[in-house]
Amino acid sequence: MKKQIGIILGSDSDFPYIEKGINILKEFQVPFDIEVSSAHRTPARTIELIRDFEKNGVAVIIAAAGGAAHLPGVIASHTLLPVLGVPINSALSGIDSLYSIVQMPGGIPVAAFGIGNSGGVNSILFALQILALKDDRIKEKLVDFREKQVLTVLEKSRKLKEKIEVL
Ligand code: RP5
């Protein structure tokens, strides 16, 4: 089956930060591939994976890495597919990961998301928004997702007021 989104994690330890986003992909029934491969520990394999993604019809690549997080930039240097980079929490709270991803030299763009969980979810939603440009089914699901999100916030507001007994 054609995979629409390709995800590469620098390590299996990065998975918890992307897990919520993976659940959204499953809920949307969008086919994706996910691999662990490091820019530093398995550089040759990382490039092979990019070629496989391209052959299998992947339209967007998400790359999550922590520390000296070169993975998104290295991937971007080997493909014209858009690369969404997720900086993962690290010994330096993910600031090192963020700077490694966001400060790409001019000429090789990488989209940089927030550190950790928010970046994990938003990278997946952003990838879906890219696919939605040409896929009305995904667009409708994104509209539903936003509508449910509004209801969730309203419910949180109601519960908070109930808890602190605001009349
Ligand atoms: C990075 O090093 C990975 O993306 C991960 O965030 C970090 C630590 O990796 P492990 O030592 O947990 O495998 O390459």
Side-chain angles (χ1 to χ4, degrees):
M1 185 198 287
K2 185 179 157 179
K3 312 279 186 176
Q4 291 180 277
I5 297 174
I7 302 166
I8 301 183
L9 307 177
S11 172
D12 59 344
S13 61
D14 300 328
F15 181 69
Y17 301 96
I18 199 95
E19 192 168 9
K20 201 170 165 192
I22 298 289
N23 291 336
I24 294 173
L25 283 183
K26 287 186 171 171
E27 194 185 312
F28 275 49
Q29 295 183 310
V30 169
F32 65 96
D33 203 356
I34 184 163
E35 298 279 355
V36 172
S37 194
S38 162
H40 309 110
R41 293 167 176 158
T42 56
R45 177 169 187 272
T46 298
I47 295 165
E48 282 167 22
L49 285 173
I50 299 163
R51 296 283 91 89
D52 288 347
F53 283 171
E54 287 175 337
K55 271 187 233 146
N56 293 335
V58 162
V60 191
I61 297 178
I62 294 171
H70 298 130
L71 184 64
V74 167
I75 293 173
S77 73
H78 287 278
T79 184
L80 288 174
L81 293 174
V83 177
L84 315 186
V86 182
I88 297 296
N89 304 56
S90 65
L92 301 180
S93 305
I95 294 290
D96 45 348
S97 326
L98 174 69
Y99 285 172
S100 301
I101 293 173
V102 81
Q103 282 303 120
M104 284 297 289
I108 302 292
V110 167
F113 286 81
I115 298 168
N117 288 315
S118 64
V121 171
N122 282 343
S123 65
I124 298 278
L125 290 171
F126 198 84
L128 288 168
Q129 286 179 215
I130 293 173
L131 297 177
L133 291 170
K134 292 186 179 171
D135 187 325
D136 287 342
R137 190 187 67 91
I138 294 177
K139 193 174 176 183
E140 278 166 28
K141 290 190 178 216
L142 283 168
V143 170
D144 285 351
F145 181 90
R146 293 255 178 128
E147 283 172 1
K148 278 188 198 143
Q149 196 162 240
V150 169
L151 295 178
T152 305
V153 173
L154 292 178
E155 182 62 5
K156 282 182 180 174
S157 181
R158 192 191 63 76
K159 279 191 178 158
L160 179 72
K161 287 173 79 166
E162 195 178 272
K163 187 176 157 194
I164 59 176
E165 295 174 359
V166 173
L167 300 174

